[in-house]
Amino acid sequence: MPAAESRDAWSAMPSPPTDRVVAVVEFLASRPAEPATVAELVRHLGFNRATCHAVLAALVRSGWVLRDPAEKTFTPGPALIALGRAAESGVPAARAADGELAVLAKDLGLTATISYPSGDHIVVGSRSPATPSGGDTVRVGQRYPFAPPYGPGLVAWGTAADIERWLGRAPRTDDAGLRRFHDVLAAVRRRGYTVESMTAASRRLGEVLAELDSLSPRQRPAVTELLHEIGGIEYLDDDLRDGQPYPISVMSAPAFAGDGTAALNISVHVWRDLDPPTIRAIGERLLTASHAVTRELRGTAPPDFPAATRR
């Protein structure tokens, strides 16, 4: 089978039994401190009770899920700890980025995260809080739809096919919306980092995204469409004029693997008004982190990726 056909087969082959196992694990992992009953799982995930019992029995036998016989509730099991550590050690980007992440958070006084493209989602893999108490809603394991307006930095230096796939994941976009997203990608390529606006609606997004994995499969498409509608809109270069502050939510820059593809996103969670000189200073610090992590990955930044002027 040709390579292109093989990739299409992997992405197109549905497996409902496997999807149900994944849904149960994701639901429990989304609320580790809140044990779930069978009734809750049935209600949230839309399975029948017999199917849910069968999936849970297999997960309990494997150690992926723990059952409290007294309370008749379920939580993530110890076998997932080993799996998580194995996954972390198997992703070179995770090891390369974490050290830089802590320095970035300390330098800027902002919570910093590393997120990874994973299929149709972007997954937060590491978090370094600005203060010991954190104070923000972002968490490790949180997922964002890898669709407009999320993740432009991960596709801005990709191929035309990468960009079309990203745009194609938008629930619906008219011609004006497509032009705006192409303008966003061009702006990100010029400066090397993204600058998301902050709105009243986007302040609520953190809470919604934190609950995405706990939603039933029937609810997720509607929520994803809502996120597309109210998600952070990128500032273009002409939008940011000196002399006044602008509400900023998140700023990000990618780091690159050996083949020049974006391996991860380095983000800082701002959630305040900033003037353009401060925005540019944070952007320069993100570019410094991006180049440092790319070197750690033995990666190659695209020729048109901006150099970092800050040392």
Side-chain angles (χ1 to χ4, degrees):
M1 180 183 291
E5 291 182 14
S6 177
R7 286 194 298 271
D8 289 344
W10 277 107
S11 62
M13 264 194 284
S15 175
T18 307
D19 291 342
R20 287 191 282 269
V21 173
V22 171
V24 169
V25 173
E26 286 184 342
F27 178 83
L28 295 176
S30 73
R31 35 176 282 175
E34 301 175 43
T37 64
V38 172
E40 287 176 293
L41 287 161
V42 167
R43 183 172 65 254
H44 281 278
L45 301 178
F47 304 162
N48 64 52
R49 184 172 286 269
T51 297
C52 194
H53 272 293
V55 171
L56 286 168
L59 291 171
V60 169
R61 286 195 300 271
S62 70
W64 287 26
V65 168
L66 282 179
R67 178 178 182 270
D68 184 324
E71 300 293 331
K72 298 183 180 178
T73 55
F74 299 85
T75 53
L80 292 178
I81 299 173
L83 287 174
R85 289 174 178 165
E88 184 177 35
S89 64
V91 179
R95 300 194 302 274
D98 280 355
E100 181 66 27
L101 192 67
V103 177
L104 181 66
K106 181 179 179 182
D107 283 354
L108 296 178
L110 299 170
T111 294
T113 59
I114 301 292
S115 55
Y116 304 90
S118 179
D120 291 342
H121 291 89
I122 302 167
V123 181
V124 178
S126 304
R127 173 180 179 271
S128 186
T131 62
S133 61
D136 51 70
T137 58
V138 66
R139 61 172 177 80
V140 172
Q142 188 168 306
R143 300 195 302 172
Y144 301 78
F146 192 7
Y150 301 99
L154 292 170
V155 297
W157 290 271
T159 65
D162 293 332
I163 292 171
E164 287 306 310
R165 276 193 297 272
W166 180 69
L167 292 170
R169 295 189 189 113
R172 60 173 183 268
T173 303
D174 57 19
D175 289 343
L178 286 173
R179 286 194 297 272
R180 173 74 186 190
F181 287 129
H182 279 292
D183 290 344
V184 164
L185 294 173
V188 172
R189 283 192 294 269
R190 280 192 297 272
R191 62 191 177 218
Y193 53 88
T194 68
V195 185
E196 293 180 24
S197 65
M198 177 179 63
T199 65
S202 66
R203 286 179 177 274
R204 295 283 296 163
L205 274 181
E207 298 172 17
V208 174
L209 287 166
E211 299 297 326
L212 187 60
D213 290 339
S214 66
L215 297 175
S216 77
R218 291 171 295 185
Q219 294 171 311
R220 290 184 189 182
V223 172
T224 299
E225 184 168 348
L226 177 63
L227 295 177
H228 169 74
E229 294 293 336
I230 65 174
I233 302 301
E234 290 290 328
Y235 285 110
L236 303 180
D237 296 336
D238 290 342
D239 295 332
L240 300 171
R241 301 182 182 277
D242 287 343
Q244 66 181 86
Y246 294 86
I248 307 298
S249 57
V250 180
M251 296 177 61
S252 305
F256 300 92
D259 61 358
T261 60
L264 56 87
N265 234 6
I266 306 167
S267 303
V268 289
H269 299 257
V270 180
W271 297 107
R272 66 188 68 163
D273 289 355
L274 299 177
D275 59 28
T278 304
I279 293 170
R280 290 192 290 268
I282 292 175
E284 285 295 321
R285 182 62 183 84
L286 281 167
L287 287 178
T288 302
S290 167
H291 283 281
V293 174
T294 297
R295 287 192 298 271
E296 287 289 327
L297 288 171
R298 298 181 181 177
T300 304
D304 59 341
F305 186 71
T309 58
R310 173 177 172 149
R311 293 286 182 257

